[in-house]
Amino acid sequence: MTKTVIYEVRVEFGDCDPAGIVWFPNFFRWIDAASRHFFIECGVPPWQETRQSMGLIGTPLVDTQASFSKTASYGDVLQIHTQISEWRNKSFVQTYRVMRGDDEIMQCTEVRIFAADKVGGGIRAMAVPEEIRGMCS
Amino acid sequence: MTKTVIYEVRVEFGDCDPAGIVWFPNFFRWIDAASRHFFIECGVPPWQETRQSMGLIGTPLVDTQASFSKTASYGDVLQIHTQISEWRNKSFVQTYRVMRGDDEIMQCTEVRIFAADKVGGGIRAMAVPEEIRGMCS
Amino acid sequence: MTKTVIYEVRVEFGDCDPAGIVWFPNFFRWIDAASRHFFIECGVPPWQETRQSMGLIGTPLVDTQASFSKTASYGDVLQIHTQISEWRNKSFVQTYRVMRGDDEIMQCTEVRIFAADKVGGGIRAMAVPEEIRGMCS
Amino acid sequence: MTKTVIYEVRVEFGDCDPAGIVWFPNFFRWIDAASRHFFIECGVPPWQETRQSMGLIGTPLVDTQASFSKTASYGDVLQIHTQISEWRNKSFVQTYRVMRGDDEIMQCTEVRIFAADKVGGGIRAMAVPEEIRGMCS
């Protein structure tokens, strides 16, 4: 069984565009929050702490693929079901289903890395930390 | 030759996250602006006008796929090269290359529709308007 | 006693800037959500419905004044305490205290109007609807 | 004569709400960009560099006051006229007029500080750096 964590979102007026529906970049805002929330729920310390303890500053995105099936509007409450479906050496695959109760609104599959600061600026990929993999599987 | 339009973006402090790099949902914000800018540059009237003239309220996203290759930070100026690479009956494929001069930062391929209001709320896909297809090819 | 409604916000990674603290425009995003949430909690129907029933499309901002006393970062949970402190003929004053438990993070005082569509485009102020004033006092 | 810098903004579809007008937190997003742009135009190095050279990480907001007089929508091009109207020991007053050609859309007056990292996390106010004051007056 793959661990699944649910993150709940209230859609607000300002999340919607002149067509009256959620403006799509906001879905990625919520998915990024769901990604972090997944790690927190699995017991991983916040990135402020992992930056100090192991140099890990976050999990930036490498690839993403998303499909939108239904629209949402303000007043809706969405549930984002999040898993890590695959672990690689220096990256992992995180998947999301955004639901409004039984209706699927959109789904998303991402490849992310564990990032550290790079000497001279920018970021670099770390090997997947074993203890984090253990907590999240 | 496929028509290409370039949309320029200045990366701002608030577009960046605690890792000091662009927070990825902002790329989708800029890509959505580049999408609309493409139509404007091709001579298509703004959606406020097409809503009145032909019921067209915008071009919502159905599918998207993106890959991130380099990071960007505030002070950077990015050029988004936009094309429509394929026309279907009720949708079209729009592609983007986000450059910082000669460096590719990310690329994105989308499927979008031309949307009209649906009776009872929400939106529906229109057949691709021939005159718009002509202006954008 | 003036009616007070509390709206809770989780601060996310992407809400923070390269200084590691909440980027201030996000506070206005949350305050706008708290404003709408106040009306919903008082029993006012969502603007999608009031647009149909009485032409009311929302409560845009006329004036705002805000003071920031403490910083917040991701992982924080904030409580926004919202009231309407004054009713005028064509506007009202809405006030907010953003707390992290006992710590005040910022406070804000706004003047807003009840808006309707204006013939020819744009919006206009309506007289304060008596039934809404009754529900919210 | 107080130095004035103009920052230009294109209003995009996603900046607008279901009422079809700019959602107000976006004005603060643009004003924050205009604030930073002012320093850059005056010759102050970007905060990434001042963080290294003098510990200055940015200019967070302490107080803001804004008035909205006209609405704007997508397709509009706005000019933000920015000045520093007052220097204090540990803060300064920055003012903005957001214009659409000759129409004033909104105006804003802010108190900001020059911030450094605080030992133990968070930020603290620095004395106003004399060389920056000289460049910006």
Side-chain angles (χ1 to χ4, degrees):
Chain A
M1 280 293 291
T2 305
K3 200 171 279 189
T4 302
V5 170
I6 298 176
Y7 179 82
E8 199 164 87
V9 168
R10 294 164 299 205
V11 180
E12 295 296 346
F13 184 78
D15 299 325
C16 299
D17 63 23
I21 59 174
V22 173
W23 188 50
F24 83 85
N26 289 314
F27 282 109
F28 291 104
R29 188 156 64 75
W30 299 327
I31 279 174
D32 195 59
S35 174
R36 195 183 77 85
H37 184 69
F38 177 87
F39 290 106
I40 295 291
E41 287 293 302
C42 290
V44 178
W47 309 137
Q48 292 110 321
E49 290 182 30
T50 59
R51 179 193 279 267
Q52 305 300 322
S53 63
M54 56 191 289
L56 168 56
I57 61 176
T59 56
L61 190 60
V62 177
D63 280 295
T64 190
Q65 184 279 325
S67 302
F68 299 83
S69 36
K70 286 202 156 78
T71 62
S73 188
Y74 59 97
D76 286 348
V77 177
L78 308 179
Q79 297 81 35
I80 307 183
H81 299 244
T82 305
Q83 296 185 331
I84 293 183
S85 55
E86 187 186 339
W87 294 91
R88 302 174 182 172
N89 288 336
K90 291 197 140 190
S91 64
F92 59 95
V93 178
Q94 202 163 15
T95 60
Y96 311 86
R97 290 186 73 210
V98 181
M99 309 294 291
R100 182 178 51 214
D102 291 337
D103 281 345
E104 187 178 285
I105 303 299
M106 59 96 72
Q107 62 80 12
C108 181
T109 302
E110 297 177 336
V111 178
R112 287 178 178 255
I113 58 167
F114 292 99
D117 285 318
K118 191 164 67 179
V119 179
I123 58 168
R124 63 178 178 80
M126 303 169 62
V128 168
E130 275 308 310
E131 66 273 37
I132 292 185
R133 179 172 172 165
M135 295 168 106
C136 299
S137 297
Chain B
M1 277 295 291
T2 305
K3 200 172 278 192
T4 301
V5 171
I6 298 177
Y7 179 82
E8 198 164 86
V9 168
R10 294 163 301 205
V11 181
E12 294 297 344
F13 184 78
D15 298 325
C16 299
D17 65 22
I21 58 174
V22 173
W23 188 49
F24 84 85
N26 289 314
F27 282 109
F28 291 104
R29 187 157 63 76
W30 299 326
I31 279 173
D32 194 58
S35 173
R36 194 183 77 87
H37 183 69
F38 176 88
F39 290 105
I40 295 292
E41 286 294 301
C42 290
V44 178
W47 309 138
Q48 293 110 320
E49 289 181 30
T50 59
R51 178 194 279 268
Q52 305 300 324
S53 62
M54 55 191 289
L56 168 55
I57 61 175
T59 56
L61 190 60
V62 176
D63 279 294
T64 188
Q65 185 278 328
S67 302
F68 300 83
S69 37
K70 287 202 157 77
T71 62
S73 189
Y74 59 96
D76 287 349
V77 176
L78 307 180
Q79 297 81 35
I80 306 183
H81 300 244
T82 304
Q83 296 185 331
I84 293 183
S85 54
E86 187 187 339
W87 295 91
R88 301 174 183 172
N89 287 338
K90 290 197 140 191
S91 64
F92 59 96
V93 179
Q94 203 165 15
T95 62
Y96 311 86
R97 290 185 73 210
V98 181
M99 309 294 292
R100 183 179 49 216
D102 291 337
D103 281 344
E104 186 179 284
I105 303 298
M106 60 96 72
Q107 62 78 11
C108 182
T109 302
E110 297 178 335
V111 178
R112 289 179 177 254
I113 58 167
F114 292 98
D117 285 317
K118 191 164 66 180
V119 178
I123 57 168
R124 63 179 178 79
M126 302 169 61
V128 168
E130 274 310 308
E131 66 274 37
I132 292 186
R133 179 173 174 165
M135 295 169 106
C136 299
S137 297
Chain C
M1 279 294 292
T2 305
K3 200 171 279 190
T4 302
V5 170
I6 297 176
Y7 180 80
E8 198 164 87
V9 168
R10 294 164 300 205
V11 181
E12 293 298 345
F13 184 79
D15 298 325
C16 299
D17 64 23
I21 59 174
V22 173
W23 188 50
F24 84 85
N26 289 314
F27 282 109
F28 291 105
R29 188 157 63 75
W30 299 327
I31 278 174
D32 194 59
S35 173
R36 194 183 77 86
H37 184 70
F38 177 87
F39 290 105
I40 295 291
E41 286 294 301
C42 291
V44 178
W47 309 137
Q48 294 110 321
E49 289 181 32
T50 59
R51 180 193 278 267
Q52 306 299 324
S53 63
M54 56 191 288
L56 168 56
I57 61 175
T59 56
L61 191 60
V62 175
D63 279 294
T64 188
Q65 185 279 325
S67 303
F68 299 83
S69 37
K70 286 200 156 78
T71 61
S73 188
Y74 59 97
D76 287 348
V77 177
L78 307 179
Q79 297 81 36
I80 306 183
H81 299 244
T82 304
Q83 296 185 333
I84 292 182
S85 54
E86 187 187 338
W87 295 91
R88 301 173 182 172
N89 287 339
K90 290 198 142 188
S91 63
F92 59 96
V93 179
Q94 202 164 15
T95 62
Y96 310 86
R97 290 185 72 210
V98 181
M99 310 294 292
R100 183 178 50 215
D102 291 338
D103 281 344
E104 187 178 285
I105 303 299
M106 60 94 73
Q107 63 79 12
C108 181
T109 301
E110 296 177 338
V111 178
R112 288 178 178 255
I113 58 167
F114 292 99
D117 285 318
K118 190 163 68 178
V119 179
I123 58 169
R124 62 179 179 79
M126 302 169 62
V128 168
E130 274 310 309
E131 65 273 37
I132 292 185
R133 179 173 173 165
M135 295 168 105
C136 299
S137 298
Chain D
M1 279 295 290
T2 305
K3 200 172 278 191
T4 301
V5 171
I6 297 177
Y7 179 81
E8 198 164 87
V9 168
R10 295 164 299 206
V11 181
E12 294 296 345
F13 183 78
D15 299 324
C16 300
D17 63 24
I21 59 174
V22 173
W23 188 51
F24 83 85
N26 289 316
F27 283 109
F28 291 105
R29 187 156 65 75
W30 299 326
I31 279 174
D32 194 59
S35 173
R36 194 182 79 84
H37 183 70
F38 177 87
F39 291 106
I40 295 292
E41 287 294 302
C42 291
V44 178
W47 310 136
Q48 294 110 320
E49 289 181 31
T50 58
R51 179 193 279 267
Q52 306 299 325
S53 63
M54 56 191 290
L56 168 56
I57 60 176
T59 55
L61 190 60
V62 176
D63 280 294
T64 188
Q65 185 279 327
S67 302
F68 299 83
S69 37
K70 287 203 157 77
T71 61
S73 188
Y74 59 97
D76 287 348
V77 177
L78 307 179
Q79 298 81 35
I80 307 183
H81 299 245
T82 305
Q83 296 185 331
I84 293 183
S85 54
E86 186 186 340
W87 295 90
R88 300 172 184 173
N89 286 338
K90 290 196 140 190
S91 64
F92 59 96
V93 178
Q94 203 164 16
T95 61
Y96 311 86
R97 290 186 73 209
V98 181
M99 309 296 290
R100 182 179 49 215
D102 291 338
D103 281 344
E104 186 179 284
I105 304 298
M106 60 95 72
Q107 62 79 13
C108 181
T109 302
E110 296 178 334
V111 179
R112 288 178 178 255
I113 57 168
F114 292 98
D117 285 318
K118 191 163 68 180
V119 178
I123 59 168
R124 63 178 178 80
M126 302 169 63
V128 168
E130 275 309 309
E131 66 272 38
I132 292 185
R133 179 172 173 165
M135 296 168 106
C136 300
S137 298

